[in-house]
Amino acid sequence: MQMIKRFRREWALHLLLVPGVLAAFIFSYVPMAGIVIAFQKYIPNKGIFHSPWVGWDNFKFMFQYPDIGQIMYNTIFIAVMKIIAGLLVPITISLLLNEIRRETFKRFVQTMIYLPHFLSWVLLGGILIDLLSPSQGIINQMLGWVGIKPIFFLGSNTWFPYTLVLSDVWKEFGFSTIVYLAALTSINPSLYEAAEMDGANRWRQTWHITLPGMLPIIVLLSTLSIGNILNAGFEQIFNLYSPIVYESGDIIDTFVYRLTFEKVQYGLATAVGLLKSIVALILISVSYTLAYRFAGYRIF
């Protein structure tokens, strides 16, 4: 009875949810029926209902695929580096910005580092290709000034993964920095005053007050990032890589893309994507459990 009264009182709010729920159902849940393709030798002109059933053959072939081990390694390696750098760089920059006393300059810096977050990888990919060109790129020209030979950042299997990480950090660290700066505002200023009266310098104040005050949000973002361990950044890599760097830059998402649109192996591509989704679901569940246990964060 109480639930009915509450619904009558809040029916307008529930009505506002209807478009979002319908969109999620149509674009997120209905396509799940396509999972059956992972167990078929899918033929487009026959459709799902008439394509031959192959059972687990696609999954067996996936694990026997010659490059699957390297692809898994690339995915995890690039994703882990992005997660680590995506935590350390914003924390460091937020601590440095917190020491700036001129609010005008501080806001200017925040705006400038936050701006790349709003740019797509299609645009940034073109910019990076020009900047990192081994012949005319400004980065290699600057390296030449100090006697370093040109480096083919986007065409070398040695440099390509690290180029991906650095460019991703450059694009996204501004957003995380704003989050950490917001966390800093919740720290009681009287703690700094008491520490200063006790003779603590700025470094000790940072170590014993600032970092512990940021610890809940650091733990939260760290645990939530576990769910992205298999998401190394399809859009970024797709706009920057080429066959010459498949060895070091090919990840699960780009592999699935090529299987689908270049090799037309729909069943195998769906099997790879399904396996990734299952692993991601497990990791996300673990990350939310850890976030609730160590940071008191819960979404449900």
Side-chain angles (χ1 to χ4, degrees):
M1 192 67 180
Q2 185 178 1
M3 185 179 296
I4 296 176
K5 291 181 178 179
R6 183 177 178 181
F7 178 79
R8 289 177 178 176
R9 185 172 64 252
E10 300 175 353
W11 69 270
L13 299 177
H14 290 280
L15 187 62
L16 290 174
L17 292 174
V18 172
V21 172
L22 287 176
F25 178 76
I26 294 172
F27 295 105
S28 297
Y29 287 91
V30 172
M32 286 185 182
I35 291 175
V36 71
I37 296 176
F39 305 94
Q40 294 179 328
K41 184 179 179 181
Y42 180 72
I43 302 174
N45 61 353
K46 291 186 176 181
I48 293 177
F49 297 104
H50 298 94
S51 294
W53 188 267
V54 297
W56 297 97
D57 288 356
N58 287 324
F59 293 90
K60 294 177 182 178
F61 183 76
M62 174 182 63
F63 288 108
Q64 296 173 355
Y65 198 86
D67 299 327
I68 191 64
Q70 185 64 41
I71 291 169
M72 292 295 295
Y73 171 80
N74 293 340
T75 303
I76 296 174
F77 179 66
I78 293 172
V80 169
M81 286 200 302
K82 285 183 177 181
I83 290 172
I84 295 174
L87 288 172
L88 295 179
V89 173
I91 292 172
T92 303
I93 299 301
S94 63
L95 292 175
L96 293 175
L97 285 176
N98 190 52
E99 299 298 319
I100 297 177
R101 293 294 173 259
R102 293 188 177 181
E103 287 297 326
T104 303
F105 178 73
K106 184 176 180 179
R107 291 175 182 174
F108 172 77
V109 174
Q110 291 179 29
T111 303
M112 294 305 296
I113 64 176
Y114 194 27
L115 183 61
H117 174 75
F118 296 99
L119 302 179
S120 71
W121 275 114
V122 176
L123 177 60
L124 289 180
I127 294 174
L128 288 173
I129 290 173
D130 290 336
L131 290 177
L132 301 176
S133 171
S135 57
Q136 299 179 346
I138 187 172
I139 302 298
N140 276 301
Q141 291 182 17
M142 294 172 65
L143 293 176
W145 296 342
V146 294
I148 300 177
K149 295 182 180 180
I151 300 173
F152 197 177
F153 292 99
L154 299 180
S156 168
N157 285 305
T158 301
W159 287 98
F160 186 71
Y162 303 100
T163 303
L164 293 175
V165 174
L166 291 176
S167 58
D168 181 75
V169 171
W170 168 61
K171 181 179 185 297
E172 301 295 346
F173 85 95
F175 176 82
S176 298
T177 300
I178 300 299
V179 174
Y180 288 121
L181 284 173
L184 289 173
T185 60
S186 63
I187 300 177
N188 192 344
S190 62
L191 297 176
Y192 294 103
E193 297 173 1
E196 189 173 356
M197 292 180 63
D198 290 338
N201 56 27
R202 296 300 299 175
W203 168 249
R204 288 189 174 275
Q205 291 178 33
T206 299
W207 183 257
H208 294 287
I209 299 175
T210 307
L211 285 176
M214 297 172 63
L215 189 59
I217 193 66
I218 294 175
V219 172
L220 172 61
L221 295 181
S222 299
T223 52
L224 294 182
S225 65
I226 296 175
N228 293 320
I229 202 73
L230 294 182
N231 293 323
F234 169 78
E235 186 180 1
Q236 177 197 20
I237 296 177
F238 182 75
N239 282 283
L240 293 177
Y241 84 149
S242 60
I244 196 173
V245 290
Y246 280 176
E247 180 183 344
S248 63
D250 198 17
I251 62 173
I252 294 176
D253 290 336
T254 55
F255 177 59
V256 169
Y257 176 87
R258 292 204 318 279
L259 284 176
T260 304
F261 296 104
E262 294 181 10
K263 299 184 179 181
V264 200
Q265 297 187 31
Y266 298 103
L268 179 59
T270 306
V272 176
L274 177 59
L275 179 63
K276 177 196 169 185
S277 299
I278 293 173
V279 175
L281 176 62
I282 295 172
L283 291 174
I284 290 174
S285 301
V286 171
S287 67
Y288 276 119
T289 302
L290 293 175
Y292 175 67
R293 177 172 296 182
F294 295 105
Y297 173 87
R298 63 188 308 166
I299 191 170
F300 300 114

